[in-house]
Amino acid sequence: MRSRHHTITAVFDGFYVALVTNLLLVLGCLPLVTLAFTTDAARSWPLYALTAPLCAPGLCAAFAVMSAYSAGDTGGVLRTYGRAWRATARPAMLWTAAAMTALVVLAVDARAAWGHRVGALALPVLATLIVLTVATTLLGLVTLADQPTARLRELARTCVYLAVRRWYLTAVSLLVLVLLVQLLAARPAIALGLAAAPLLYVVWANSRFTVRAALDPPTAAPQRT
C-alpha cells in the first residue's frame, strides 16, 4: 500500500509540475505566442527573430524547473521558475539574440543562393550551419539554466563542440523540437496546455546529458594513504 501511495503521489506531482510549467512557459513566451496566433510566420519572421530573445529567460527558467523536478523538488515550481528567470534574463537574452542574428544571416544567404548555380554548393553548407546554430543555442540555454554566470564565449565553444561530438543526441533533441512545432501549428491548445512541458523535458534531459561533462564538476580521485 505504501508503494502504491508513493506511485500515485509521484504521478500527481508529475502532472502538477507539467501543467504549471506549461502555464509558465506560455506566460514567459507570451510575445511569441501572441505572434503565432495573430500573424503569418512566413511573412512576419523578422518579428519572430526580434521577439525570440525576450522569451529565452522563460525557456531557461522552465529548464531549471525540470532540473529541480529531476532532483526531487516538486513543491517550489513558481519559486524555482521566478528565481531562474531573474538569474538568466540577461545572459539568455544576449545568447539568443546572437543566435537569432546568425540564423537571420544564414537564412538570407540561403534565400539568395536558392535557384542559382552556387546554391548546389552553398545550400548544404548553410543548412548544416543553421542546424548547428539551433543545436548550439539549445545546449547553451540548458547550460545557462544551471550556470547563469557562464561566460558566453566559452559557452559557445563548448556547446558547438558537444553538439557535433554527440550528434546522435543532438538529432534526437531537434526531432523532438520539430514535433513540438508541428503540434503547435496543428493543435496549439494541446501543444501549449499539455504537450510542451513533457516534450521539452525530453529535450532538456537529452541536452543535459550532452553537456554533463561541462556542468558537473570532476570527481576527485581518492588519495592513497
Side-chain angles (χ1 to χ4, degrees), residues 115-132:
H116 295 81
R117 185 173 301 177
V118 70
L121 296 176
L123 288 177
V125 175
L126 292 172
T128 301
L129 291 175
I130 289 173
V131 172
L132 184 59

Side-chain angles (χ1 to χ4, degrees), residues 33 36-37 179-189 191-192:
V33 173
F37 281 101
L179 175 61
L180 178 57
V181 171
Q182 290 181 341
L183 184 60
L184 181 61
R187 298 288 188 272
L192 296 175

Side-chain angles (χ1 to χ4, degrees), residues 45 49 99-109:
W45 63 265
M100 294 308 302
T101 301
L103 287 174
V104 168
V105 171
L106 291 171
V108 170
D109 288 344

Side-chain angles (χ1 to χ4, degrees), residues 95 132 135-143 153-165 170 210-211 214:
W95 176 258
L132 184 59
T136 302
T137 305
L138 179 62
L139 291 179
L141 292 176
V142 171
T143 305
R153 184 174 298 179
E154 296 178 358
L155 183 63
R157 288 198 297 264
T158 301
C159 290
V160 168
Y161 170 74
L162 292 175
V164 174
R165 181 179 180 181
T170 300
T210 299
V211 298

Side-chain angles (χ1 to χ4, degrees), residues 53-221:
L54 300 177
C55 304
L59 187 56
C60 272
F63 287 148
V65 171
M66 295 171 191
S67 181
Y69 174 75
S70 180
D73 181 8
T74 59
V77 177
L78 294 175
R79 182 177 65 254
T80 301
Y81 185 92
R83 183 171 60 246
W85 195 99
R86 290 191 299 270
T88 61
R90 184 176 182 275
M93 284 192 285
L94 290 176
W95 176 258
T96 308
M100 294 308 302
T101 301
L103 287 174
V104 168
V105 171
L106 291 171
V108 170
D109 288 344
R111 180 66 182 87
W114 186 269
H116 295 81
R117 185 173 301 177
V118 70
L121 296 176
L123 288 177
V125 175
L126 292 172
T128 301
L129 291 175
I130 289 173
V131 172
L132 184 59
T133 301
V134 173
T136 302
T137 305
L138 179 62
L139 291 179
L141 292 176
V142 171
T143 305
L144 287 172
D146 281 327
Q147 294 184 356
T149 59
R151 298 181 62 180
L152 297 185
R153 184 174 298 179
E154 296 178 358
L155 183 63
R157 288 198 297 264
T158 301
C159 290
V160 168
Y161 170 74
L162 292 175
V164 174
R165 181 179 180 181
R166 296 181 174 174
W167 59 269
Y168 47 93
L169 297 177
T170 300
V172 172
S173 296
L174 294 179
L175 286 175
V176 175
L177 281 181
V178 170
L179 175 61
L180 178 57
V181 171
Q182 290 181 341
L183 184 60
L184 181 61
R187 298 288 188 272
I190 294 177
L192 296 175
L194 296 175
L199 291 177
L200 286 176
Y201 184 84
V202 175
V203 173
W204 168 83
N206 207 32
S207 301
R208 184 60 176 77
F209 183 82
T210 299
V211 298
R212 181 178 58 181
L215 289 177
D216 296 339
T219 303

